[in-house]
């Protein structure tokens, strides 16, 4: 009964998002488009980070790869934007599968550092493929024709569709055996293996799915921005924000990463824009706060209602 009520609330929420472009200004349209982008990235990354328990800190690498796949296919081969998106997903899936075979043998901090190394390596490769990617000069994508209001709405709905697609994939995973297997790996990988779960295969598949979803968001972002270079799509601060959103909303929950994206992005626009110089420091402090007081995310911690006692209990448990 409660699940049905939550689904109805979610449908109402997305119905409101569908009509907002006809009510709000262009500025807030852009803010929400950016929020959907991070909602899609965080939800896609949640499959490997939240469900499986592998901290893929460098998952933004697939975002950058997706952006360059769209950029190269549109500028070098004249392909239509929508036709490039399956290739964005496919490139992320193939890359994560190939990298996952050796890297997913690592755990915890070692895996997190390895994924950062992957991101930096891919960034350098793209930076040096000057003929294909433009190197440090970047790529200028074809600009979408039409009046600004139409273009704003187009990317708003494109990012919203991307986020909803990632949410649907995450929801389906949470309800099938594959999702239960990932959660078993997160709790105790050795025990999961003893129970008959093929852990290397499941982990690789989870990372490939995650990379595919993040790759699609990168492709849409590239067309939205109409110009990309290695520094605009392989961004370390995006990794930090993605992690903060997943932790804040609740790692391993379906809707949590999107909830975290809305909170952080809207706070960022309202408050943090006044403190650009210390933006990174504020993000770091927020992550420390979440780990100490909200280790299960805001949804799980306040499931029965807000309470300072729950915050103090979490702090006491984390101190032991």
């Amino acid at each position: 009964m409660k699940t049905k009520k939550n689904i109805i609330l979610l449908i109402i929420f997305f119905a409101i998002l569908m009509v907002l472009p006809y009510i709000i200004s262009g500025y807030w349209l852009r803010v929400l488009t950016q929020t959907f982008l991070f909602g899609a990235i965080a939800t896609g990354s949640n499959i490997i980070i939240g469900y499986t328990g592998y901290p893929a800190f460098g998952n933004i690498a697939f975002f950058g790869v997706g952006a360059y796949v769209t950029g190269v296919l549109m500028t070098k081969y004249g392909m239509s934007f929508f036709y490039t998106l399956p290739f964005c997903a496919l490139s992320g899936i193939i890359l994560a599968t190939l990298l996952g075979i050796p890297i997913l043998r690592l755990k915890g901090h070692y895996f997190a550092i390895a994924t950062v190394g992957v991101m930096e390596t891919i960034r350098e490769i793209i930076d040096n493929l000057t003929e294909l990617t433009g190197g440090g000069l970047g790529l200028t994508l074809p600009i979408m024709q039409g009046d600004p209001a139409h273009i704003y709405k187009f990317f708003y709905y494109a990012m919203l569709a991307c986020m909803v697609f990632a949410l649907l994939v995450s929801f389906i995973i949470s309800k099938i055996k594959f999702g239960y297997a990932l959660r078993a790996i997160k709790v105790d990988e050795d025990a999961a293996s003893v129970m008959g779960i093929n852990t290397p295969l499941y982990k690789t598949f989870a990372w490939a799915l995650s990379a595919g979803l993040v790759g699609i968001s990168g492709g849409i972002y590239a067309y939205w921005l109409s110009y990309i270079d290695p520094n605009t799509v392989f961004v370390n601060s995006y990794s930090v924000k993605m992690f903060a959103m997943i932790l804040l909303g609740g790692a391993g929950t379906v809707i949590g990463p999107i909830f975290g994206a809305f909170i952080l992005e809207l706070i960022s626009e309202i408050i943090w824009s006044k403190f650009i110089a210390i933006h990174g420091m504020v993000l770091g402090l927020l992550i420390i706060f979440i780990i100490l007081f909200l280790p299960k995310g805001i949804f799980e911690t306040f499931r029965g209602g807000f309470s300072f006692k729950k915050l103090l209990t979490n702090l006491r448990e984390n101190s032991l």
Side-chain angles (χ1 to χ4, degrees), residues 14-35:
F14 281 110
I16 292 170
L17 290 181
M18 288 295 290
V19 299
L20 274 183
Y22 299 94
I23 302 169
I24 59 177
S25 66
Y27 171 77
W28 283 106
L29 210 59
R30 196 180 190 290
V31 170
L32 284 174
T33 306
Q34 180 92 353
T35 304

Side-chain angles (χ1 to χ4, degrees), residues 3-5 7 16 46 67 96 125 135 144-145 148 151 157-158 162 179 209 236 244 266 286-287 293 296 312:
T3 304
K4 196 177 286 185
K5 183 183 173 185
I7 291 174
I16 292 170
N46 188 43
I125 290 172
M144 189 178 176
Q145 299 299 315
I151 295 171
Y157 287 120
C162 180
L209 267 178
N236 285 321
L266 294 180
L286 181 66
I287 290 175
F293 293 96
K296 295 177 182 175
L312 294 175

Side-chain angles (χ1 to χ4, degrees), residues 6-7 9-11 13-14 17 38-40 42-44 46 51 160 163-164 166-172 174-175 183 245-263 296-300 303:
N6 289 338
I7 291 174
L9 287 173
L10 202 59
I11 291 172
F13 174 68
F14 281 110
L17 290 181
F38 279 107
T43 304
N46 188 43
Y51 286 123
L160 177 60
M163 186 180 74
V164 171
L167 183 67
L168 281 174
V169 172
S170 179
F171 176 74
I172 291 169
S174 72
K175 297 295 180 187
R183 285 174 174 144
M245 288 165 181
I246 293 173
L247 292 173
L248 180 62
T253 61
V254 176
I255 194 70
I258 290 179
F259 193 66
F262 270 81
I263 292 175
K296 295 177 182 175
I298 205 163
F299 260 132
E300 287 296 320
R303 187 175 284 274

Side-chain angles (χ1 to χ4, degrees), residues 82-102:
F82 284 111
Y83 289 123
T84 68
L85 296 182
F87 290 98
C88 296
L90 195 62
S91 60
I93 290 169
I94 293 172
L95 199 57
T97 303
L98 294 175
L99 292 170
I101 294 169

Side-chain angles (χ1 to χ4, degrees), residues 12-314:
I12 293 171
F13 174 68
F14 281 110
I16 292 170
L17 290 181
M18 288 295 290
V19 299
L20 274 183
Y22 299 94
I23 302 169
I24 59 177
S25 66
Y27 171 77
W28 283 106
L29 210 59
R30 196 180 190 290
V31 170
L32 284 174
T33 306
Q34 180 92 353
T35 304
F36 300 155
L37 167 70
F38 279 107
I41 294 173
T43 304
S45 299
N46 188 43
I47 296 171
I48 184 69
I49 297 171
Y51 286 123
T52 319
Y54 271 69
F57 203 78
N59 232 31
I60 290 298
F62 305 113
F63 175 79
V65 169
Y68 267 95
V69 167
T70 290
V72 170
L73 290 178
M74 289 187 75
T75 56
K76 305 290 182 184
Y77 300 97
M79 193 176 280
S80 168
F81 163 65
F82 284 111
Y83 289 123
T84 68
L85 296 182
F87 290 98
C88 296
L90 195 62
S91 60
I93 290 169
I94 293 172
L95 199 57
T97 303
L98 294 175
L99 292 170
I101 294 169
I103 292 179
L104 282 166
R105 293 171 184 273
L106 304 172
K107 294 181 182 177
H109 305 93
Y110 298 106
F111 175 76
I113 293 168
T115 61
V116 173
V118 165
M119 185 177 79
E120 293 301 324
T121 303
I122 294 174
R123 182 217 292 260
E124 287 301 318
I125 290 172
I126 287 177
D127 205 7
N128 285 284
L129 289 175
T130 311
E131 289 288 322
L132 185 65
T133 64
L137 296 175
L139 274 179
T140 301
L141 281 74
I143 297 174
M144 189 178 176
Q145 299 299 315
D147 66 280
H150 170 73
I151 295 171
Y152 286 158
K153 286 176 187 170
F154 173 82
F155 286 110
Y156 176 93
Y157 287 120
M159 283 296 185
L160 177 60
C162 180
M163 186 180 74
V164 171
F165 179 63
L167 183 67
L168 281 174
V169 172
S170 179
F171 176 74
I172 291 169
I173 288 175
S174 72
K175 297 295 180 187
I176 61 177
K177 287 182 180 177
F178 174 64
Y180 295 131
L182 296 184
R183 285 174 174 144
I185 291 170
K186 180 181 179 180
V187 173
D188 190 332
E189 188 169 341
D190 292 332
S193 183
V194 170
M195 289 168 65
I197 296 171
N198 188 340
T199 55
L201 180 67
Y202 277 72
K203 288 187 297 182
T204 305
F205 193 37
W207 203 21
L209 267 178
S210 171
L213 293 171
V214 174
I216 294 173
S217 63
I220 300 172
Y221 181 74
Y223 192 37
W224 182 32
L225 219 60
S226 75
Y227 170 81
I228 53 170
D229 65 27
N231 292 327
T232 56
V233 292
F234 296 98
V235 189
N236 285 321
S237 64
Y238 282 10
S239 296
V240 179
K241 286 177 88 171
M242 171 195 77
F243 244 86
M245 288 165 181
I246 293 173
L247 292 173
L248 180 62
T253 61
V254 176
I255 194 70
I258 290 179
F259 193 66
F262 270 81
I263 292 175
L264 282 190
E265 277 303 298
L266 294 180
I267 287 177
S268 176
E269 284 302 317
I270 296 168
I271 301 173
W272 294 356
S273 57
K274 296 180 175 62
F275 306 101
I276 294 173
I278 58 169
H279 191 262
M281 186 185 77
V282 174
L283 262 177
L285 289 173
L286 181 66
I287 290 175
I288 292 171
F289 175 84
I290 295 168
I291 291 171
L292 287 176
F293 293 96
L294 303 166
K296 295 177 182 175
I298 205 163
F299 260 132
E300 287 296 320
T301 304
F302 300 126
R303 187 175 284 274
F306 179 82
S307 165
F308 284 110
K309 188 178 177 183
K310 290 179 182 176
L311 294 176
L312 294 175
T313 303
N314 285 335

